[in-house]
Amino acid sequence: CAYEFSVALCRTIQHLAVDHLYMLGDIYDRGPSPDLVVEEMAAFGDVDIMWGNHDILWMGASLGQPGCVCHVVRICARYGNLSVLEDNYGMDLQPLRDFALKAYADDPCAAFGLKDTTGLTSEQIDATVKIQKAMAIIQFKVEAHLIDQNPSFGLESRKLLDKVDFEKGTVVVDGVEYELTDNVFPTVDPDDPYKLTAEEQLVLEYLKDAFAKCQKLQKHISLLVKRGMLYQVHDNILMFHACVPLNDDGSLKEVTLFVETYKGRQLFDAVQDYVYSAFDASDEKSAKRGRDLLWYLWLGEGSPLFAKSKMATFEIYYIADKAARKEVKNPFYRLYDDKDVLAGIFKDFGMTPKASHIVCGHVPVKVKDGEDPVKADGRLLIIDGGMSKPYQKNTGIAGFTLVSNAYGMYLYTHDPFLGIEAAIDTGAVLNSKVRAIEANDDPKLIRDCDAGNGIAFSENLLDTLVSAYQDGTVEQKVGTPWDGLDA
């Protein structure tokens, strides 16, 4: 039992050392085994998850939301990672594979090369390329209907199939005509471009059902719902995944969802309520609104999780000109060094600006290029350092961890972990550089934390109860543990 004992001892030390873990999102679409990450967090116990845009996308897919399903399958195909669906979650994608190979049999799918082909045979690469294109076309059609059903989302400009001139091989985007990089559309009717073919409809319904009935996925998503939230304020730290949507002048951006308009914390609260309603609403109208909002959060300009002007999926595939592909970030990312702007956010969330911090992720910090994760003299920290291996070449590191304890706040920058065998053979461990963000002159006590406020409140309640027994306000029952209380 030596091995099991060693693991148990390490986990005991881990739980004693880490009182609470906060995960700032994007568990999914960042590596080959998101299911293992979720299970690790479930085993840890004391963990809160701030939803990332990729998590929200998978949450929507688990409910069979068609737009979310299309994006999840297309992204897995684009990165040569369909094994996550097939092997990790046990979904049978053969009907989709058969359809794609038939519908796009003679199509070179010129614009749909894979981002990663590691471990794939030539036959698998060909099938995955075709699956990617098949899902992209189905996605463009499905999203057009979702846009029509939800006009308040303001996504009309994202309907582009009807802007294609199939004879000329061009498309008009924002008034500019561009040549298409791929002019093969075997499943698109030029007279009715957003109509799904009978085969596409069958494939879509099959995939929606596969996601909704996958027990392992449902179990994992239930953890994300139970332990997840859009944001949290803890010990003067405001935590969320991406941004607080802002206008160019730094004011809070107003966002209309269905019939109401929100901004700042009010927007976060409303979005969070809609997300929960997608899973627990008793009436179908509320549930559908919640499901559709999960899709909007993935790609909507006003989404606190997306934070860009548009999701240029169509342009990235079909237009070579980078100007058409440009996705402009929300002004939050231009103004996060402005202390006055941050002060406005802190006040809106009921926090004291001089004593508060924002911690977020979403945008990998390119440390190798000199980018600094610490903004506004430590008021804001972006702690996405590329913990996922594919991102390490962009950041030059292997992730950040922010630690807040009695002695202050410290940012750990991790070197890549070389693997278990290297750790055993050479003694190589997970090396980290430590940077003090805020150091306390004296160790912080529990009473100075949010947890201390809860303890103090409970203590006051107990004092009141004791006094009530002592002065007779509450009658003491003979033979109860309260006998001899005065003593």
Side-chain angles (χ1 to χ4, degrees):
C1 65
Y3 175 80
E4 289 81 3
F5 176 77
S6 298
V7 171
L9 187 61
C10 289
R11 287 198 177 276
T12 300
I13 293 171
Q14 182 186 57
H15 281 269
L16 289 172
V18 181
D19 177 65
H20 204 92
L21 178 66
Y22 297 92
M23 172 70 181
L24 264 61
D26 278 0
I27 298 163
Y28 285 91
D29 298 329
R30 288 297 178 268
S33 302
D35 54 317
L36 297 183
V37 178
V38 177
E39 289 173 7
E40 182 69 21
M41 289 191 299
F44 188 86
D46 295 326
V47 58
D48 286 335
I49 303 163
M50 310 303 119
W51 298 314
N53 52 321
H54 287 269
D55 306 319
I56 282 289
L57 183 66
W58 278 72
M59 289 163 67
S62 76
L63 295 172
Q65 206 286 337
C68 295
V69 168
C70 289
H71 276 282
V72 165
V73 180
R74 178 185 61 79
I75 291 170
C76 285
R78 182 169 175 76
Y79 288 87
N81 210 16
L82 288 172
S83 61
V84 170
L85 298 173
E86 295 185 292
D87 299 334
N88 299 31
Y89 282 110
M91 297 185 196
D92 181 7
L93 298 184
Q94 195 58 45
L96 169 61
R97 188 173 285 104
D98 291 342
F99 163 74
L101 289 171
K102 179 182 177 181
Y104 298 89
D106 301 321
D107 186 349
C109 301
F112 292 84
L114 306 185
K115 291 291 186 179
D116 190 355
T117 60
T118 304
L120 299 180
T121 65
S122 58
E123 291 80 8
Q124 288 173 325
I125 292 172
D126 180 64
T128 305
V129 166
K130 288 175 167 54
I131 286 173
Q132 183 189 179
K133 183 170 183 177
M135 290 311 304
I137 297 299
I138 294 174
Q139 174 190 309
F140 299 145
K141 294 180 178 183
V142 165
E143 289 188 322
H145 297 292
L146 289 170
I147 291 167
D148 291 341
Q149 294 167 15
N150 298 283
S152 71
F153 290 170
L155 293 169
E156 184 66 28
S157 65
R158 295 291 79 212
K159 293 170 61 177
L160 294 174
L161 273 183
D162 62 306
K163 310 299 189 300
V164 173
D165 187 319
F166 295 94
E167 292 185 1
K168 292 173 60 179
T170 61
V171 62
V172 176
V173 179
D174 297 328
V176 180
E177 187 175 45
Y178 299 95
E179 184 178 350
L180 294 171
T181 58
D182 183 330
N183 193 32
V184 182
F185 295 92
T187 67
V188 178
D189 179 356
D191 296 326
D192 192 359
Y194 297 118
K195 182 180 179 180
L196 290 165
T197 67
E199 293 82 5
E200 286 175 327
Q201 186 67 55
L202 285 173
V203 165
L204 178 61
E205 292 304 319
Y206 175 82
L207 291 173
K208 287 165 56 180
D209 194 56
F211 274 87
K213 290 183 178 178
C214 177
Q215 293 183 5
K216 183 177 179 181
L217 179 62
Q218 295 302 321
K219 178 184 176 182
H220 289 173
I221 296 300
S222 68
L223 178 74
L224 264 63
V225 176
K226 181 179 179 180
R227 302 297 304 180
M229 58 210 71
L230 192 62
Y231 75 101
Q232 187 168 145
V233 178
H234 183 76
D235 286 341
N236 296 318
I237 301 174
L238 171 59
M239 294 172 280
F240 50 76
H241 177 69
C243 82
V244 177
L246 301 176
N247 297 311
D248 286 329
D249 62 359
S251 59
L252 300 171
K253 179 182 178 65
E254 291 189 340
V255 178
T256 299
L257 302 175
F258 305 113
V259 295
E260 299 290 339
T261 299
Y262 312 93
K263 62 181 180 179
R265 184 173 188 168
Q266 187 184 42
L267 172 64
F268 276 67
D269 288 335
V271 165
Q272 189 165 273
D273 287 343
Y274 275 118
V275 171
Y276 290 138
S277 72
F279 291 89
D280 60 22
S282 57
D283 63 289
E284 175 55 22
K285 181 179 179 180
S286 298
K288 186 181 186 309
R289 280 190 169 187
R291 293 194 299 269
D292 287 355
L293 191 80
L294 289 167
W295 167 73
Y296 172 82
L297 291 173
W298 163 247
L299 48 62
E301 182 181 5
S303 166
L305 297 177
F306 178 55
K308 293 181 183 179
S309 58
K310 67 178 181 181
M311 180 167 282
T313 306
F314 185 96
E315 293 92 329
I316 290 170
Y317 281 129
Y318 284 103
I319 300 175
D321 192 330
K322 291 183 179 179
R325 300 176 170 191
K326 190 172 183 180
E327 300 171 337
V328 181
K329 293 179 183 176
N330 184 270
F332 175 87
Y333 292 97
R334 177 170 48 83
L335 300 171
Y336 51 33
D337 258 324
D338 190 320
K339 293 181 182 178
D340 291 335
V341 171
L342 295 185
I345 294 174
F346 287 133
K347 289 177 182 177
D348 184 65
F349 279 81
M351 305 169 71
T352 305
K354 290 185 178 181
S356 300
H357 302 269
I358 288 175
V359 180
C360 57
H362 189 57
V363 178
V365 180
K366 297 179 181 178
V367 176
K368 67 179 180 61
D369 296 335
E371 289 187 6
D372 191 350
V374 181
K375 312 294 181 182
D377 294 334
R379 293 296 102 195
L380 182 143
L381 297 96
I382 301 177
I383 62 169
D384 186 342
M387 191 168 285
S388 174
K389 190 173 182 179
Y391 281 80
Q392 293 174 12
K393 63 180 181 293
N394 296 327
T395 63
I397 60 173
F400 295 117
T401 300
L402 185 66
V403 176
S404 177
N405 59 29
Y407 302 98
M409 189 182 296
Y410 301 88
L411 185 66
Y412 286 72
T413 302
H414 307 304
D415 292 336
F417 180 56
L418 300 179
I420 295 174
E421 290 185 3
I424 294 172
D425 295 340
T426 68
V429 294
L430 181 61
N431 295 313
S432 304
K433 301 177 185 68
V434 185
R435 175 179 176 182
I437 304 301
E438 196 172 79
N440 301 329
D441 294 332
D442 298 306
K444 183 188 289 187
L445 304 178
I446 291 292
R447 71 178 53 163
D448 301 320
C449 305
D450 289 350
N453 294 332
I455 293 172
F457 180 73
S458 298
E459 183 181 14
N460 290 334
L461 285 179
L462 288 172
D463 286 341
T464 302
L465 184 61
V466 169
S467 297
Y469 272 100
Q470 289 175 334
D471 64 20
T473 302
V474 176
E475 184 178 348
Q476 188 171 321
K477 295 182 180 179
V478 177
T480 71
W482 294 101
D483 284 347
L485 186 64
D486 290 339

